[in-house]
Amino acid sequence: MTDEFARTASLDETGPIDYLVVEFPGSKFNGEAFPLLLDLVDKGLIRILDLVFISKDDAGNVGALTLDQLDGGGFDLTIFSGIQSGLIGEDDITEAGVALDPGSAAGVLVYENVWAAPFAAALRRTGGQLVASGRIPVQAILASLDALDAE
């Protein structure tokens, strides 16, 4: 998949691209989320552009993990072999590692929101430009709802 994104994706037809850094304290993966991630791909909702696993040791050193260093919880992780567009570089791995606690691991995922591509392309064709974007963490929504209930 290294060059697939560059070859097949016209920037005019591309959906929004997001990234996630998901920490696993104690470097404990159980594999439960991997089939769900593949389901999003199979349904055409997202396209995985990059998927890198990293770890931070107790001394604070950050480095990439290979798939054979991970326990997929019975899930065959080799399906993710070769998923690399080149968007994640060493500096990104280092930056993601800053957010991790020592002794933890993380998955760094860059993905295109394929479901939004037609809408995004239509906006671009009409001169629309994205000027702000964000995401509200579920924890923030729950805290707001709890605060409303307390009033």
Side-chain angles (χ1 to χ4, degrees):
M1 188 165 163
T2 303
D3 296 327
E4 178 183 347
F5 181 70
R7 285 195 314 265
T8 61
S10 162
L11 290 180
D12 290 336
E13 300 300 319
T14 300
I17 296 174
D18 288 327
Y19 74 92
L20 300 171
V21 178
V22 180
E23 180 179 37
F24 296 91
S27 299
K28 302 217 187 291
F29 295 91
N30 72 5
E32 181 181 350
F34 295 129
L36 299 170
L37 178 61
L38 286 180
D39 190 48
L40 294 172
V41 172
D42 290 343
K43 289 180 178 175
L45 298 174
I46 68 167
R47 176 176 20 179
I48 301 172
L49 303 177
D50 275 305
L51 179 60
V52 176
F53 296 95
I54 63 173
S55 67
K56 185 174 189 175
D57 67 20
D58 291 331
N61 300 307
V62 176
L65 298 169
T66 60
L67 293 177
D68 61 349
Q69 292 176 293
L70 302 172
D71 177 7
F75 183 80
D76 182 9
L77 295 175
T78 60
I79 195 159
F80 297 120
S81 293
I83 296 179
Q84 179 182 344
S85 69
L87 292 173
I88 296 177
E90 285 299 318
D91 55 334
D92 299 309
I93 290 171
T94 301
E95 186 176 335
V98 170
L100 300 181
D101 287 333
S104 293
V108 182
L109 174 68
V110 177
Y111 61 98
E112 176 190 0
N113 290 284
V114 177
W115 62 269
F119 176 67
L123 291 174
R124 286 189 291 269
R125 284 191 299 272
T126 61
Q129 297 179 30
L130 181 64
V131 295
S133 180
R135 182 156 286 140
I136 302 170
V138 171
Q139 296 86 344
I141 293 171
L142 294 175
S144 293
L145 292 173
D146 288 345
L148 287 172
D149 286 344
E151 289 178 4

